Amino acid sequence: NNNNNNNNNNNPSPHNHVVHSPHNSTNASSAAHKYPDFDYKALSAQLRASLSAQKEHWRTIQQSDALFSTLDRPLCEALLLPKHQQQILNYEQKIIDFLIRDDWRFRFPHFINSFNRLLIHRLAEMHCLEHLVEIIPHQHPHQHAHPHAMNNDQCKTVIIYKTGNTRFANVCLADIDIERLREFHIRRLTDTEREEWQEKKSRYSRLHYDGNNNNNNNNNNRNNNNNNNNGRYQKKSKGEPTTVSPRETDAHAHGLPPPQQPQAPQLPTVQAQTLNAAEQSV
């Protein structure tokens, strides 16, 4: 009973549709009712016990062109593009955590686009995992009126399963020397591929830069607005420039004379009459 409860969180729903993934020989029609045919908990315990030695092997492995050539092109590009680097490392860590847990299957969150699903498929193959795409129906009262909505990325996720041959990958992407990988990747490209790579790198790097600096720009704009508002109402010292109000700016733009500033009312002054001695005598 406990084993069934542990697996319920990752069980595919009978209403979900499992799609056959590339490079996978499993019958997709029966994937929703799959059951393990091996002791996956014993496998998990074995992987858990060997994790420390495996991490040491990953750290000491020689970084060479021979090692880099074992990585698929999408994995290399994802590591070299700032937009995807953190995402693929996150996927790798999720898979490693899954390997040492006493679970047989793991479902990645949905809202994963096609390129990120491709990265998960490649990572699953590196660890000898079975991997399938699952389509999750829209939870919407009119979902049956839009059958084509089932094909968008928001309804797709990837499920991975342990097999009897599941193991740690030969290389850990988090330990890859990115600079040496970049040099290797550029060397193996043709002239046409190099131009395409430069364009792709520029595009995704710009998107990553804009996304990181968008909040900073908004904060700077707010600070500037606050400074302008504070300066408008602060008392000016002698020799300091006078702040122009919005009313004066609008009047100048329409060719109208600037609005007259209200003047303080003049109070009547009482002049004291001083009488001299002659006037007093009169």
Side-chain angles (χ1 to χ4, degrees):
N1 292 335
N2 292 334
N3 295 342
N4 292 335
N5 292 335
N6 292 336
N7 290 328
N8 282 339
N9 293 333
N10 291 324
N11 281 341
S13 171
H15 302 289
N16 299 351
H17 180 58
V18 180
V19 180
H20 180 64
S21 64
H23 311 294
N24 202 316
S25 59
T26 302
N27 185 1
S29 61
S30 61
H33 306 284
K34 289 170 56 64
Y35 295 97
D37 56 358
F38 65 100
D39 191 349
Y40 63 90
K41 289 191 175 182
L43 173 64
S44 301
Q46 180 182 356
L47 293 173
R48 190 162 52 246
S50 62
L51 179 59
S52 298
Q54 186 64 46
K55 287 184 176 180
E56 183 63 24
H57 170 72
W58 285 334
R59 285 192 295 266
T60 59
I61 194 171
Q62 183 179 3
Q63 304 274 330
S64 62
D65 291 355
L67 175 67
F68 300 148
S69 62
T70 62
L71 300 177
D72 286 341
R73 184 71 65 87
L75 299 180
C76 290
E77 294 187 352
L79 285 173
L80 298 177
L81 293 173
K83 176 180 173 62
H84 298 290
Q85 182 182 106
Q86 191 59 41
Q87 190 65 68
I88 189 174
L89 295 179
N90 181 45
Y91 291 153
E92 181 187 50
Q93 187 59 49
K94 286 182 180 296
I95 290 179
I96 294 176
D97 293 340
F98 163 66
L99 293 183
I100 62 177
R101 286 199 309 268
D102 291 337
D103 295 330
W104 174 52
R105 63 171 63 86
F106 175 74
R107 179 194 285 113
F108 284 88
H110 56 291
F111 301 103
I112 298 178
N113 60 36
S114 59
F115 182 71
N116 287 340
R117 291 197 303 270
L118 175 63
L119 297 179
I120 295 176
H121 288 308
R122 295 295 186 265
L123 289 172
E125 291 171 0
M126 291 175 59
H127 296 82
C128 297
L129 294 166
E130 188 177 349
H131 46 100
L132 299 171
V133 175
E134 182 184 25
I135 297 180
I136 303 175
H138 276 300
Q139 300 300 323
H140 192 277
H142 303 291
Q143 62 181 10
H144 298 293
H146 304 281
H148 297 291
M150 300 288 291
N151 296 325
N152 60 38
D153 290 332
Q154 296 183 356
C155 302
K156 294 180 180 179
T157 186
V158 179
I159 305 178
I160 56 177
Y161 299 85
K162 291 176 181 173
T163 68
N165 298 322
T166 294
R167 57 178 176 79
F168 290 115
N170 294 328
V171 59
C172 181
L173 301 183
D175 293 325
I176 289 291
D177 189 331
I178 298 299
E179 293 304 322
R180 297 187 62 177
L181 176 64
R182 180 178 289 108
E183 295 174 0
F184 163 79
H185 181 65
I186 294 177
R187 283 199 311 268
R188 68 175 174 177
L189 296 177
T190 64
D191 293 339
T192 303
E193 290 174 338
R194 188 174 292 107
E195 292 179 0
E196 295 175 353
W197 168 246
Q198 291 296 336
E199 191 276 332
K200 183 185 300 184
K201 184 175 62 174
S202 175
R203 181 173 70 252
Y204 285 113
S205 298
R206 183 173 63 252
L207 292 175
H208 179 76
Y209 176 81
D210 292 343
N212 287 340
N213 287 276
N214 188 29
N215 293 333
N216 294 334
N217 293 334
N218 292 336
N219 292 334
N220 292 336
N221 291 335
R222 284 194 295 268
N223 292 335
N224 292 334
N225 292 335
N226 292 336
N227 292 335
N228 292 336
N229 292 334
N230 292 336
R232 182 176 300 168
Y233 300 105
Q234 288 177 354
K235 183 178 180 180
K236 300 296 181 179
S237 60
K238 186 176 181 180
E240 221 174 335
T242 304
T243 303
V244 180
S245 66
R247 292 180 58 195
E248 294 175 340
T249 304
D250 294 340
H252 178 73
H254 293 83
L256 299 176
Q260 297 295 329
Q261 297 294 337
Q263 298 180 356
Q266 296 290 338
L267 297 178
T269 59
V270 178
Q271 297 180 353
Q273 296 181 354
T274 303
L275 301 178
N276 53 28
E279 292 174 333
Q280 290 177 359
S281 62
V282 174

